[in-house]
Amino acid sequence: MSFLSLLVFSPLLGIMLLAFVRRTDAKMIQWLGTAATVPPLLLALFAFIQAGRGFRLEQLDEAHDWVRLADLPFFTDAAYVIRYELGIDGLSLLFIVLTAVLGTLAAVASLLVKVEKKGYFMWLLALEIGMLGVFAAANFIWFFLFLEVTLVAMFLLVGKWGGFERERAAYSYLLYNGLGSALLLVVIAVLVARTGTANFALLRDMLHNPIAEGQLIAPLTSEARHWLLGGLLLAFAFKLPAVPLHRWLIRVHVEAPPPVVMLHAGVLLKIAAYGMIRFGIGLFPDEFRAFAGAIAVLGVINILYGALLALRQRELKHVLAYSSVSHMGVVLVGLGALNEAGIQGAVFQSVAHGLIAALSFLLVGVLANRVGTTDIRRLGGLAKAMPLFSGYLLTAALALLGLPGLAGFVGEFTAFLGLFETKPALAAAGALGLIFAAVYSLRAILDITFGRARERYESPFNLRGPQESAASLSEPRGTAIDLQAKEAVPAFVLVALIVVVGVYPQLLAGPLAAVIETMMNGLGG
Amino acid sequence: MNDVWQANWSMMAPEWIVLAAAVVLLLVDLAMPKERSRRPLAWGAAAGAVLALIATAVMIPAEPVSILHDTFRLDGFAKAFKLILLAGGALALLLVAEWAPKEGSRYRGEFAYMMLFALLGAMMTASSGDLLTLFVSIELLTVSSYILAGLRKTATSSNEAALKYVINGGIATAIMLFGMSYVFGLTGTTKLGDIARQLQETNEPYMLGLAFLLLLIGVSFKLATVPFHMWAPDVYEGAPVPATAFFSVVSKTAGFVLLLRLFVTIFAAAPAEGRDPSSLLLSMQPVITVLAGLTMIIGNVVALRQRSLKRLLAYSSIAHAGYLLAGFAAMSWAMIDSLWIYLLAYVFMNIGAFAIVAHIVNETGSDDLDGLAGLYRHRPLLAAALGLFLLSLAGIPGTAGFIAKLYLFIGLVVTEPGHYVLAAVMAVTTVISYVYYFNLLVQLFFRPASLAPLRRLPAGLSTAVVVCALGTLAIGWAPGLAYDVLAQFGHFGDFFP
């Protein structure tokens, strides 16, 4: 088995071993489930370090024949052969490392989940396989295949282990993302039907190279290309989510168990950004120009809308959910700028927000677990009882508002830098959102940590927060104990990563450089 | 008379096997003492179907032949679809073996051999090269099906189902025969090949168009596609579960076999007037496209409101007929291939689902959705298997349903101009179908168990479930297996007589 297959499918071993563990043996399940996320983490870090030392990632490509859809000897030999193909470049590697890191941390944080732990971990690992596969796929069909694995896994994770309105959240996740996927499938089918291949590199070649274009089984007119790109962008807009399509995100953020939200906000939303960069700019660079303005406008709308609504929320999970909407807008802004800084900013922002959102939801999970509520109005003065927790929460807030020296700043700064270059007026409007971000995040966090203590946490059994998760229900809520080692360690790792990325963005920029250069070439300089 | 003796009868080996099995089982059933269990008969019938399946598989490399003045053809098309029919029939017969309705399973013997007769009709349809054999064989299938629907003689719902089926089916048959009479009147022959050749010279587009529509109405009854789908939910609900499984898989496959044999051979070559004068079939493409779209929409939307598992699967099967009809409407080079793959996938995923539903209906006596609640708690493996079949029916990757649907999609957009609207309708209705399939998953995995634990799955059903699960996974993960079989038929180049 080659390296990438091993990387993607290594959590499968955990799933198989878990099947033999007794349902009641919670300790063993937790241990095994967490251990199963370690091999992909080690492999991903290994690849990352090797790539940093000049290893050429193309050597990891692998391909096996999978299915021959049609025998058409009158076309080229490879027509309608779908291979099992994995292959990564700097861009995918960043996301794979992000996935692997957050996968392990989320598994550690899953201590909070108490019911049906065995099934939970099996699906969590399946989710990780799906996410790793999405980024490692070198072909459209396999990209889609892994994407749908995440869809099913998320549906079950949200619907079974979520909060009170979990099934509603699961269905709205399923429908919005299902529509996005269906649209994507149509685009994929058109591309495969017209070109006879699903491989990214071959597709790019066929769509751009005038000589290779002659090999197209049916030519793609420029109008058809616009429609395809439009469909592609709309499909990913469902998954990002862009503003009118964002309702599901709020429900999922609020209802899903916190470790799942760590992965969802941290990685799954980024699949859309990844898709827009890889397929949107990668396959249709010329047509992308026509959409860039609209994407930038949509990004600014996302930033402002999310930030303004986050201001009005009285519930920490809601604040964070709307802040996710706002921060994904920054990704769109970077893409809409369509220059080197913009694209780099979009990727930086994706990774940074992945880390920050994971940290926030890790802490929210602890909060819901200890105090039984995440309603800001009911919380206050936690700093006295939980100093360590409050410290981390404050760091998360500072990262969220984009404090220089932390990861969030790099992404936002670079993305806006890109947009100021091409569309300064729009960028100025969007930058307002960053000010709102400072207001909503600081207000929410400071209320919780340093505000007046509004309830006595010593006897919180009378607290009936509207958003208690099923996980927290089964937990006897005693006193507000501070972070314990098993929670502090993942939080520390995340903070460390946020600081490292913030101080030394070259860590991300290094592997990206070659990818972005290819894209800029595609865009014509 | 000489022809009859010199004909290459061995080419009908699968049919002979099925016929012999049916007759032997009928005689054994008569001779058996009344109180003896008829279960072995169903096993015998399944064995017969498997034997015929092997015989068909052995004949795959043979050259296409036609005997009895072209009325019986054994070409790639016939072999390919007989494989599906026999696989579906054998799996449905496994369900018959474990059929245990409340009022007692006295008629299990009849069940086994009537299903074999129906299967024989379906197989003959695949091989017919003549309007008459086509008609007679499809009627053998439908008349046997009427009996299968009514086999729970003391249950009113079963009686009602049979009656509805007979009346609707009878009307459909009459209309189809009427259409055939026009074709015969215009050409003076019943041989499909001769008809196709004659029609190239005749110029009667309107008369022929009328014949086309009449035939389409007749066939769409058999396929249960909109607007002639109304009978299906009632019949599916009233009929015994194994019969429902049989209708949804074997009868549907036979319906599409009929559709391809009739329409592609007769009308593809016939000239037309209007939008596309090159061929009557192409000029009628918009009609089929609209019907396919409506079938997908109505089947999926109405399925959302069903509480009965059998009705839900009935509407789901209408929806799947819609997807298949869309594949037919595309009329791309991938048409027959993609329909074949889809029907093969459908056999596995649908019979698998029905096998588990059959067990639940047997055990609880009701087919309400609640019957699935908490199945995961008592029978995790069974729940996982049903989950797999449902995901496959929904077209989620990693299962046969996805590969099949992907191929249909490709078929829809590969033509110039592509059928983008139909592809979009298929995509959106697929998402709608997620709601009801995932609703069943919610019942299986999320809801607390409400009923006493189910007993273990009996041998017949567990065999069917295991085979279906393996088939669903195999086509999902290694679709090459199915495509390699398909490649043997060389894109059905010998389809036209």
Side-chain angles (χ1 to χ4, degrees), chain A residues 281 285 288-290 292 333-343 418-419 422-423 520 523 525:
Chain A
I281 302 179
F288 202 90
R289 287 202 182 283
V333 161
L335 291 180
L338 206 57
N339 50 22
E340 203 172 333
I343 298 170
L419 194 63
T422 51
K423 303 175 183 70
M520 296 319 291
L523 287 164

Side-chain angles (χ1 to χ4, degrees), chain B residues 94-313:
Chain B
L94 289 178
L95 269 58
V96 172
E98 309 302 343
W99 179 53
K102 273 176 294 188
E103 65 274 6
S105 44
R106 258 181 61 208
Y107 301 104
R108 192 150 51 195
E110 277 101 319
F111 215 152
Y113 51 77
M114 284 322 293
M115 206 175 259
L116 280 182
F117 281 124
L119 190 59
L120 182 65
M123 289 163 70
M124 291 294 289
T125 313
S127 271
S128 294
D130 187 289
L131 280 185
L132 282 179
T133 42
L134 207 53
F135 179 77
V136 171
S137 52
I138 199 81
E139 279 314 291
L140 176 58
L141 168 64
T142 26
V143 173
S144 315
S145 300
Y146 303 152
I147 301 171
L148 290 177
L151 262 185
R152 287 170 62 198
K153 292 184 195 173
T154 49
T156 21
S157 64
S158 185
N159 293 339
E160 188 192 325
L163 193 62
K164 268 194 180 138
Y165 206 0
V166 169
I167 293 170
N168 277 294
I171 295 169
T173 302
I175 295 174
M176 192 168 73
L177 200 55
F178 194 30
M180 284 183 179
S181 72
Y182 274 85
V183 175
F184 178 73
L186 284 169
T187 58
T189 173
T190 55
K191 283 186 195 160
L192 294 181
D194 289 351
I195 290 173
R197 278 182 285 277
Q198 292 264 348
L199 284 180
Q200 282 166 7
E201 276 114 54
T202 31
N203 195 11
E204 292 273 9
Y206 294 104
M207 209 58 109
L208 210 51
L210 186 63
F212 179 93
L213 290 177
L214 290 170
L215 287 173
L216 186 62
I217 291 172
V219 174
S220 60
F221 264 107
K222 314 264 180 222
L223 298 176
T225 53
V226 173
F228 305 107
H229 65 288
M230 307 290 194
W231 59 270
D234 293 334
V235 171
Y236 279 32
E237 190 184 15
V241 188
T244 310
F246 184 84
F247 299 156
S248 76
V249 172
V250 178
S251 300
K252 193 170 296 286
T253 307
F256 277 96
V257 166
L258 178 69
L259 185 75
L260 292 168
R261 272 282 187 223
L262 258 185
F263 288 52
V264 177
T265 34
I266 295 184
F267 296 109
E273 246 170 61
R275 196 182 72 98
D276 191 339
S278 63
S279 149
L280 186 76
L281 188 61
L282 284 175
S283 78
M284 286 293 182
Q285 206 176 9
V287 178
I288 302 172
T289 306
V290 169
L291 287 183
L294 284 176
T295 307
M296 291 190 274
I297 293 169
I298 291 176
N300 278 310
V301 170
V302 182
L304 291 176
R305 299 188 51 83
Q306 303 307 316
R307 291 290 308 167
S308 143
L309 281 171
K310 280 155 89 184
R311 280 188 89 83
L312 190 138
L313 286 173

